[in-house]
Amino acid sequence: MPTFLARRYARKLDAVGRTERAVGTFILLLVVGIVAAYAVQVATDRDYLFNVGAPDYRAADARRGAWPEPIEEFAPEPVARSDGSAREVENPFPDPDLPGWRTPVRVERFDAENLFAKIDGRADLYLQHGVAGLTFGAYTHADGDHTIDVYWYDMGQAEQAAAIFRAEQDAEAPRVRVGEEAYQVGGAVFLRKGSSYVQVLPSRLDEDAGAALRIAEQIAGSIGE
Amino acid sequence: MKRTLDQTTVPFTRFGESWQNVLRITSIRILVQAAMFALFLSFVLLTTFANLDRLPGLRHWASKFLEIDPFIALAAAITTHTVYKGLLWSLVILVPTLFLGRFFCNWMCPYGTLHQFVGWLFRRPARTPNPSGAQEPDPANRPAAPVRQPWWRAANEYRPAQRFKYYLLVGLLVAAACGSLQIGLLDPLCLLYRSLTGAVLPAAQQPFSRLLGSGRLHQGAWLIGFLLFVLVAMNLVYPRFFCRVLCPLGALLGVLARFAWWRIDRDPARCRGCDRCRLDCEGACDPHAELRRAECFVCFNCIEECPEGALRFAFFPPKEREVAGPDLARRQVVFAGLTGLLFYPFVRTTGRATRDFSSRVIRPPGAVEELELLERCVKCAQCVRVCPTNVIQPAWFEAGVEGLWTPVLNFRIGHCQLHCTACGYVCPTGAIQRVTVPHKLGLGEYVDQGPIRLGTAHIDVGRCLPYSAGIACQVCEEVCPTSPKAIRARYRMRRGRRGRGAESAERDDAPPVPTVDLGLCIGCGLCERECPVVGDRRAIYVTAEGETRSQEYPERDRNRAVRVPSQR
Amino acid sequence: MAEPRWTRRELLTRGAGAVLGGGAAVAGGYLLYDPKGDRGLPRWQPRLGLKNFFAQIDLPAGHPRLSVAVGPEHRTEELVRAAVGGLDPALGLRRFVQPGDVVLIKPNVGFDRPPHVGATTNPEVLRWIIRLCREAGAREILVTDNPIESPQACFSRSGIAAAVETEGAKVVLPAPAQFELVLLGQPQARSRAPGTAAAWPVLYRPLDRATKLIGVAPIKDHNLSSASMTLKNWYGLLGGRRHQLHQTIHEAISDLAALLSPTLVIADGTRVMLHNGPTGGRVSDVRPGGQLGRPVLVASVDPVACDAWCYQRLLGRDPAALDYLRLAEQKIQARVAAGERRFGQRDWLAYDRAGQVVTTTL
């Protein structure tokens, strides 16, 4: 501390009284104390201020809604969990037993509330008819290029399935013998059986019409057991 | 070596004995000033998100200088009728000022220290042959007057310009009483903090940007830095210009100093009129004549320079040797008050705070509603400093004239980090309330309340790539941090007909397009920040509509979008 | 006699000064001359590739390529040791990391999330991997990632910073000085899909310093690329506005897969995010081991096969449908054909048939 201690002072050193010295020392100690308190408090309080624990997240999860998302998805091979609470899961789509066609690997389920995520504005019509759920799966071909989409609606009751069937029906389409009532138009098969209303939609309308029909038969066969 | 000045010889202290000088009151003062400045600088440098997160003890100290500022406490008390949390610490300065005078200005204020230091370093003594208004000392005691006045006589004499800060104080307090807090523009601590944050520190970091990371950007940094520079540079021609002429905090403390029990007192019997006491007088308070209490910074330099020992820090000295209060003209005070009074309706009539608000003004999470914010924000820019993503910026005039340098979010520069409420922890006046992370995100006990929304994201379908160009891009959906996501990319359905009467819908082959759920979006701005369609207007951008802070005030007609319930 | 107007000294000093000054000006002009106009402009010179971190590994022919460890909860150390040990029962990690190595571990620290939402690598898993590296004699262990959110917050909130500190390794936070332009994909590719760039800033310095590279990636659903696993993990080494590459994300991921040949990859299936990826945020989206229901860890020398396995077994989806796997396989096999020593094939069942998939159940 050179300059301000060794500079020229007009006031002589012995003019510095005892009170002045005492007050000066006191102030210096006070400042040292403040700095020390600062250093100690900052150095010792070590924690993560902005971390949020898992319990807070879980509370929110229980409450928050889901953006439209299939409510269940499962793999074709069910896996029993080690804690014994194995869920009985089954792939509802039967094997069509056709060369090159595979059952859907990924199956999506929707309920009435998130139905529109899959079928957009058409959900209104189904909701009016009391739809309870939709199971969707896509049969894929080994070629990779074409698929057959199956929309399997659970309408809750047989009357409601009949009602929606009639609402969407194309009167001039040729009937086919599948389920209780069915017709095929442009390769796609629309059938109803029991409380189910099923649409089988091939991506290649003409080529895969036969495959679609076969799949529709299989599905109808698996209903009503 | 001896120096001759006005027939006084002043000896050098011998080096071996110089350590004894440390107990002179001025030496103590210099040490305390240095320590306070270092402390202030340490608070500024350490107040970063990373430090606040890991060293939570820092939150008690980060705003300490602003909390002890009595002007902020007083003005905020006038506007909000409360003393917010840490502002109670201002009593630590307020009460001793009532007893000791304006010691804060030269013992603690870091801005004052900066001015004093710059002046000491750079000011060349000017020779003024005929200073105007120089006061002649008592002729009875004086030897023959020298032909030329020494430079310091003019530099440190009291000038009428020093009255201006009181008018400023009155104007600002009257404006505060009306409901607009503008003290932050010139309050020394707010000014220094804002200038360091906005201009000085980023400027210092730029040469090292390759090493330390790209420096932060701050809107309007040029003006903030320029203001600081000009005010500090004034010290080269007018010592302590800001402190003597402009500082409203100093004015407030000066007004309070009239009740002090101690002050510098000159004994006329011992005084020989050499005017040496004015050599380093920081406050220009006339210690050689009647001391002006309201201007004296209690720097003790006059005591140090008096060869006769005629000055002392006296307890209840006689009243005839002092000027107790600031030397003001009543009419000018009234005029200043009128200015403050008119300021409020003029700016409110502009409407930026009410109906003609700008939706691009997005405030930090935890901010109070706009009119309350304008009553509280002191434009200290601590929130700007601590924000980890550099998204908080000092506003220009988008929030109105009153909103200059208040915090707004600019999502082109950053986004609001999800698990961060640092801005609320450092705000000294409660313009941004202290909220915890669960409160901000609507977790834990705040689940029913929901998250704090800053605004809502909207998609500009003319610019969004999937909508307008058929190019797949789901970046906004990917980065959306809420769960469930507020942005979902959905395939559009192509309606077709398979035969008459039977509708079918197939998935359109075009790439999925993003849609925003207005009920889930919290306005964090990550989507806007990351949108690849960069430019002045991104393809997805956040506006203040739907912000939670406006929801409680339906009569104010601000930012209340039609609330779309979450799509569950 | 008239007085001389100037002295000799003046003549010398002034003359020399003028001549030298003129000479310097002319020389300066000549050296800095830019006739075309573009001399001073910055040049775009990317690095052509990165080093192959697998090249020196001496892996005998029949050795396992994929090692799966399945275990109960809360036994992370054993899980890690089992997974890595499965690749070489005798040497474990020592086959891959030798004394004196500088190991760079690349976890996923991309988001400001706590570890229990599964958006980032499990810090416990990272810890034990660092410990194993240290036991194998690594001289220096670096951990890095370039998140889009604030790096300090991400490293801190995800627990990675604490884990690294505990084990005495070093976190390398991304700074601009550490990025360099690197060529992605083949420079001659003309039929490049719009949006992919030929060169991109990559976090080069740590990669250059390291002698071994280990990727530790969580298994997550991803809204755009369908899944984020060990190959997508390399995205975190990109800088700049990398979201522009999302417009052709499968190309971008496969380019990265071809560019980076790691020593080892570890797929962290202790908390698999099944929905709402990649940012997550709901504990209900996360399940240990995904479809398997129990924590799983996979260690592999073939990142493509590892991804295919995880996609099928943990996320329950069909790897044949995942575009970037197919493209990555193509690009890596092209490099293998050109003589590079590395593995990259989708068909993990082929490994299984050859007995090179080891499963350890705790």
Side-chain angles (χ1 to χ4, degrees):
Chain A
M1 310 184 268
T3 342
F4 74 92
L5 285 184
R7 70 164 194 214
R8 293 162 289 217
Y9 292 95
R11 184 170 65 134
K12 297 201 180 37
L13 191 55
D14 48 15
V16 177
R18 212 179 316 158
T19 343
E20 189 176 330
R21 275 188 249 254
V23 169
T25 320
F26 171 71
I27 292 174
L28 216 51
L29 290 174
L30 194 63
V31 170
V32 167
I34 292 173
V35 174
Y38 163 58
V40 164
Q41 185 167 20
V42 171
T44 53
D45 189 354
R46 296 187 80 94
D47 196 3
Y48 285 97
L49 188 58
F50 298 113
N51 274 2
V52 179
D56 281 335
Y57 267 90
R58 282 200 200 97
D61 278 3
R63 179 68 166 67
R64 284 183 292 193
W67 178 273
E69 187 75 80
I71 55 174
E72 282 169 42
E73 280 185 36
F74 47 84
E77 295 135 15
V79 177
R81 291 202 214 151
S82 59
D83 59 359
S85 60
R87 191 164 45 102
E88 284 294 304
V89 293
E90 258 183 61
N91 188 336
F93 294 104
D95 188 353
D97 207 14
L98 290 167
W101 286 100
R102 296 184 291 212
T103 45
V105 169
R106 175 179 159 144
V107 177
E108 297 173 3
R109 279 223 173 95
F110 299 84
D111 62 8
E113 290 187 356
N114 58 12
L115 183 63
F116 74 91
K118 194 64 188 172
I119 60 173
D120 227 352
R122 290 168 54 231
D124 287 338
L125 182 65
Y126 290 88
L127 290 169
Q128 282 170 23
H129 287 84
V131 63
L134 161 68
T135 307
F136 170 83
Y139 287 78
T140 49
H141 196 268
D143 292 349
D145 278 352
H146 39 153
T147 60
I148 296 182
D149 289 348
V150 177
Y151 290 78
W152 187 338
Y153 292 94
D154 174 13
M155 302 306 295
Q157 297 171 30
E159 293 82 11
Q160 287 166 255
I164 188 75
F165 181 84
R166 272 193 292 282
E168 291 204 336
Q169 191 179 26
D170 181 358
E172 291 169 17
R175 300 275 159 158
V176 290
R177 193 159 302 157
V178 186
E180 288 170 30
E181 264 192 271
Y183 59 92
Q184 183 169 30
V185 55
V189 181
F190 297 75
L191 73 101
R192 71 167 180 89
K193 184 171 178 185
S195 62
S196 294
Y197 172 62
V198 184
Q199 302 172 338
V200 183
L201 313 174
S203 61
R204 291 199 189 154
L205 311 182
D206 307 309
E207 266 181 58
D208 295 333
L213 187 57
R214 175 107 183 95
I215 287 173
E217 285 167 2
Q218 298 277 19
I219 290 175
S222 72
I223 303 172
E225 278 138 16
Chain B
M1 194 174 84
K2 295 179 184 172
R3 177 178 72 175
T4 309
L5 186 70
D6 278 8
Q7 298 155 27
T8 314
T9 56
V10 182
F12 243 132
T13 322
R14 286 216 316 269
F15 184 72
E17 294 173 351
S18 62
W19 66 270
Q20 296 169 356
N21 283 326
V22 78
L23 281 178
R24 289 178 185 261
I25 196 68
T26 44
S27 310
I28 302 282
R29 188 204 81 218
I30 292 173
L31 287 173
V32 174
Q33 271 184 291
M36 287 291 150
F37 192 82
L39 210 61
F40 179 81
L41 210 58
S42 142
F43 292 157
V44 175
L45 289 172
L46 284 184
T47 304
T48 60
F49 170 80
N51 285 338
L52 213 62
D53 190 20
R54 198 68 185 88
L55 308 168
L58 193 59
R59 73 185 183 282
H60 302 296
W61 289 89
S63 335
K64 214 28 122 209
F65 272 92
L66 290 159
E67 288 172 354
I68 62 175
D69 184 337
F71 187 37
I72 294 179
L74 178 69
I78 290 175
T79 50
T80 64
H81 313 297
T82 61
V83 174
Y84 176 78
K85 288 195 186 225
L87 289 178
L88 203 61
W89 278 97
S90 61
L91 291 174
V92 163
I93 301 300
L94 201 76
V95 171
T97 303
L98 290 167
F99 289 93
L100 295 170
R102 218 172 129 178
F103 70 96
F104 178 82
C105 296
N106 225 67
W107 283 72
M108 295 179 74
C109 183
Y111 201 34
T113 306
L114 181 65
H115 285 292
Q116 190 175 2
F117 183 71
V118 169
W120 172 78
L121 201 58
F122 290 108
R123 189 169 59 242
R124 288 175 60 78
R127 300 272 157 205
T128 47
N130 289 309
S132 57
Q135 299 195 12
E136 286 299 309
D138 187 357
N141 277 347
R142 242 165 100 63
V147 176
R148 269 203 325 208
Q149 299 269 20
W151 62 270
W152 34 267
R153 201 170 265 162
N156 290 328
E157 65 180 350
Y158 175 79
R159 296 193 207 181
Q162 285 172 241
R163 291 187 241 165
F164 182 73
K165 59 183 184 289
Y166 300 100
Y167 302 140
L168 204 58
L169 174 71
V170 168
L172 288 172
L173 286 179
V174 170
C178 295
S180 175
L181 196 68
Q182 298 304 310
I183 64 169
L185 295 169
L186 280 176
D187 177 276
L189 295 167
C190 299
L191 197 148
L192 186 62
Y193 206 110
R194 179 178 66 237
S195 310
L196 284 177
T197 299
V200 176
L201 288 179
Q205 199 186 355
Q206 266 180 15
F208 309 102
S209 58
R210 286 283 287 176
L211 265 165
L212 297 174
S214 48
R216 295 161 71 96
L217 303 175
H218 298 108
Q219 285 170 210
W222 65 272
L223 183 63
I224 296 171
F226 184 66
L227 184 66
L228 179 76
F229 181 77
V230 162
L231 290 173
V232 171
M234 284 296 290
N235 282 291
L236 269 65
V237 295
Y238 190 138
R240 302 294 288 266
F241 169 74
F242 180 84
C243 304
R244 295 180 190 173
V245 175
L246 285 183
C247 183
L249 170 60
L252 177 67
L253 296 176
V255 165
L256 295 174
R258 69 159 54 225
F259 306 110
W261 290 7
W262 282 269
R263 70 158 171 87
I264 302 282
D265 184 48
R266 179 177 67 97
D267 183 356
R270 298 170 76 161
C271 171
R272 60 184 164 126
C274 64
D275 282 2
R276 277 189 60 91
C277 46
R278 291 159 73 183
L279 186 73
D280 281 321
C281 176
E282 293 292 328
C285 50
D286 293 345
H288 68 294
E290 288 178 3
L291 185 88
R292 295 171 183 277
R293 275 175 178 267
E295 306 298 327
C296 177
F297 290 174
V298 195
C299 63
F300 295 119
N301 280 342
C302 48
I303 291 182
E304 211 55 75
E305 289 298 334
C306 181
E308 305 298 328
L311 293 160
R312 64 197 174 92
F313 197 52
F315 177 70
F316 274 110
K319 290 186 71 149
E320 60 268 13
R321 290 205 288 267
E322 71 181 26
V323 176
D327 165 34
L328 296 179
R330 193 172 305 174
R331 291 190 195 189
Q332 290 174 336
V333 171
V334 170
F335 188 81
L338 265 176
T339 313
L341 196 64
L342 284 176
F343 170 82
Y344 179 82
F346 281 174
V347 298
R348 286 293 156 98
T349 309
T350 315
R352 277 315 222 176
T354 47
R355 235 178 309 146
D356 191 27
F357 63 89
S358 163
S359 285
R360 292 297 265 162
V361 170
I362 300 166
R363 299 286 191 191
V368 296
E369 226 285 313
E370 194 63 16
L371 297 181
E372 280 71 43
L373 191 127
L374 294 173
E375 282 180 357
R376 287 172 181 253
C377 180
V378 286
K379 311 168 204 285
C380 64
Q382 283 200 103
C383 46
V384 177
R385 170 85 186 132
V386 81
C387 180
T389 54
N390 197 16
V391 68
I392 303 185
Q393 298 289 322
W396 196 232
F397 291 113
E398 50 265 32
V401 168
E402 294 173 275
L404 180 68
W405 295 334
T406 54
V408 291
L409 270 56
N410 182 342
F411 294 117
R412 291 186 63 200
I413 298 176
H415 64 275
C416 183
Q417 186 106 9
L418 207 64
H419 290 80
C420 169
T421 53
C423 44
Y425 276 94
V426 295
C427 181
T429 51
I432 307 173
Q433 297 282 308
R434 194 163 297 188
V435 297
T436 56
V437 175
H439 185 173
K440 179 186 178 194
L441 300 180
L443 301 173
E445 48 181 325
Y446 297 95
V447 162
D448 290 322
Q449 209 173 319
I452 294 181
R453 290 177 219 283
L454 307 179
T456 322
H458 295 273
I459 297 178
D460 184 345
V461 301
R463 284 170 71 74
C464 178
L465 293 175
Y467 278 107
S468 63
I471 297 175
C473 168
Q474 283 165 241
V475 174
C476 49
E477 182 194 14
E478 176 182 350
V479 299
C480 178
T482 60
S483 50
K485 285 187 190 280
I487 304 177
R488 285 305 293 249
R490 298 162 61 178
Y491 282 95
R492 290 191 273 201
M493 304 301 273
R494 183 174 58 207
R495 288 175 202 279
R497 293 200 150 261
R498 295 178 192 273
R500 231 178 35 172
E503 258 198 38
S504 71
E506 281 180 344
R507 226 174 59 172
D508 197 337
D509 287 336
V513 293
T515 54
V516 179
D517 180 342
L518 300 183
L520 287 175
C521 177
I522 57 171
C524 68
L526 245 181
C527 49
E528 183 175 350
R529 172 81 184 88
E530 294 300 321
C531 179
V533 182
V534 303
D536 281 1
R537 179 78 137 202
R538 306 234 164 149
I540 183 168
Y541 58 95
V542 181
T543 67
E545 280 137 33
E547 58 178 358
T548 30
R549 70 177 186 134
S550 293
Q551 303 306 316
E552 312 302 316
Y553 300 87
E555 74 282 2
R556 290 193 189 167
D557 193 18
R558 281 178 58 91
N559 288 328
R560 287 170 55 84
V562 172
R563 281 296 307 271
V564 177
S566 174
Q567 310 245 23
R568 169 95 163 108
Chain C
M1 190 172 77
E3 261 196 33
R5 289 226 297 271
W6 56 83
T7 63
R8 210 175 316 188
R9 171 178 296 182
E10 265 182 34
L11 180 66
L12 279 171
T13 43
R14 288 202 196 188
V19 168
L20 283 173
V26 169
Y30 175 72
L31 289 170
L32 299 175
Y33 187 49
D34 180 13
K36 237 177 90 183
D38 66 351
R39 207 177 131 188
L41 298 175
R43 244 177 256 272
W44 184 85
Q45 246 165 13
R47 290 189 177 268
L48 294 175
L50 298 171
K51 62 175 121 159
N52 183 341
F53 292 95
F54 189 75
Q56 314 107 320
I57 305 294
D58 170 31
L59 198 68
H63 253 59
R65 303 275 169 90
L66 199 77
S67 163
V68 179
V70 186
E73 299 251 28
H74 307 302
R75 282 163 69 177
T76 320
E77 183 187 355
E78 296 174 44
L79 211 62
V80 172
R81 288 186 190 275
V84 176
L87 286 175
D88 189 320
L91 295 175
L93 194 66
R94 286 191 181 79
R95 177 159 300 275
F96 303 96
V97 174
Q98 273 82 43
D101 265 333
V102 176
V103 181
L104 179 66
I105 303 182
K106 161 68 181 74
N108 182 333
V109 197
F111 305 98
D112 178 35
R113 300 280 178 284
H116 54 261
V117 297
T120 50
T121 302
N122 186 343
E124 284 298 303
V125 169
L126 186 68
R127 240 190 98 189
W128 293 113
I129 293 174
I130 298 176
R131 178 74 68 88
L132 283 179
C133 290
R134 208 166 273 300
E135 286 170 8
R139 172 165 58 96
E140 209 183 331
I141 302 173
L142 309 170
V143 175
T144 192
D145 192 11
N146 181 25
I148 53 171
E149 309 196 30
S150 143
Q152 282 134 339
C154 293
F155 272 92
S156 143
R157 201 100 22 246
S158 58
I160 300 277
V164 171
E165 253 176 77
T166 324
E167 290 300 322
K170 187 162 163 275
V171 167
V172 179
L173 288 175
Q178 292 169 330
F179 286 85
E180 290 196 24
L181 278 180
V182 176
L183 209 59
L184 286 182
Q186 300 305 313
Q188 318 88 301
R190 287 265 174 268
S191 60
R192 185 159 289 277
T196 52
W200 205 265
V202 170
L203 190 54
Y204 182 76
R205 290 284 159 79
L207 284 170
D208 193 39
R209 257 176 83 190
T211 53
K212 298 283 156 69
L213 175 66
I214 300 180
V216 187
I219 305 297
K220 302 191 288 186
D221 167 59
H222 196 282
N223 64 315
L224 187 56
S225 61
S226 179
S228 168
M229 301 178 285
T230 61
L231 291 178
K232 177 83 173 55
N233 190 31
W234 304 129
Y235 229 78
L237 293 171
L238 291 176
R241 295 194 61 88
R242 61 186 188 219
H243 282 118
Q244 286 176 7
L245 295 176
H246 273 43
Q247 293 161 31
T248 44
I249 191 151
H250 295 284
E251 287 278 351
I253 298 175
S254 52
D255 281 338
L256 276 174
L259 179 72
L260 279 150
S261 171
T263 312
L264 204 55
V265 290
I266 312 237
D268 172 14
T270 53
R271 285 188 266 257
V272 174
M273 186 190 295
L274 292 170
H275 310 295
N276 280 314
T279 49
R282 290 197 303 174
V283 180
S284 50
D285 288 337
V286 171
R287 196 186 303 168
Q291 302 289 341
L292 294 187
R294 292 197 298 162
V296 172
L297 222 62
V298 184
S300 176
V301 293
D302 182 343
V304 183
C306 180
D307 273 13
W309 189 94
C310 296
Y311 197 62
Q312 187 161 354
R313 280 289 140 87
L314 301 183
L315 292 173
R317 305 177 194 178
D318 184 10
L322 192 54
D323 277 344
Y324 73 75
L325 278 185
R326 178 175 48 85
L327 292 167
E329 185 184 40
Q330 275 173 22
K331 292 175 185 172
I332 294 177
Q333 291 305 325
R335 289 189 179 221
V336 170
E340 246 187 72
R341 217 182 143 253
R342 56 193 293 189
F343 300 116
Q345 66 181 66
R346 277 190 296 173
D347 189 7
W348 64 270
L349 283 165
Y351 288 146
D352 198 18
R353 285 189 291 269
Q356 287 174 308
V357 173
V358 172
T359 310
T360 321
T361 313
L362 292 181

